[in-house]
Amino acid sequence: MPWISKIRWMSVPQRIAAILWITFLMAGVATGVFFSAIDPLELQYCVSFPEVSRTAAYSIGFLLFWLLTSSAALLSVFFVYPPDPDEDQS
């Protein structure tokens, strides 16, 4: 697999940017699917949050989905692609 040798040593900012962009898109999909099935105003009866509008609930849901997907992806990349051993650690 010659492409792994090119991807394996991507710089850390490139990895983070790629992860955040992909997880941003996936959080949008997850938010759409979740709130297609569940009305945010019905969640008020299950959770003791102060009253929020639908737009605020969509925003909070999106940010939570983005946090969930990005943390999972960051951990996956951290464990799969270790740092470059030739890189100066000082």
Side-chain angles (χ1 to χ4, degrees), residues 44-56:
Q44 292 178 2
Y45 306 115
C46 302
V47 183
S48 61
F49 283 132
E51 270 192 49
V52 294
S53 66
R54 278 194 169 105
T55 306

Side-chain angles (χ1 to χ4, degrees), residues 20-88:
L20 289 178
W21 176 244
I22 292 169
T23 57
F24 177 84
L25 297 175
M26 291 312 301
V29 170
T31 303
V33 169
F34 182 79
F35 286 116
S36 293
I38 297 173
D39 183 17
L41 295 181
E42 291 179 7
L43 291 175
Q44 292 178 2
Y45 306 115
C46 302
V47 183
S48 61
F49 283 132
E51 270 192 49
V52 294
S53 66
R54 278 194 169 105
T55 306
Y58 294 143
S59 300
I60 292 168
F62 172 78
L63 291 174
L64 289 175
F65 280 123
W66 196 13
L67 179 68
L68 177 70
T69 56
S70 62
S71 62
L74 282 169
L75 282 174
S76 297
V77 168
F78 176 75
F79 289 125
V80 170
Y81 299 113
D84 187 359
D86 298 331
E87 193 174 293
D88 187 14

Side-chain angles (χ1 to χ4, degrees), residues 5-19:
S5 62
K6 294 178 185 174
I7 295 173
R8 188 171 191 99
W9 308 122
M10 279 190 340
S11 68
V12 173
Q14 282 180 321
R15 289 183 197 178
I16 292 172
I19 289 167

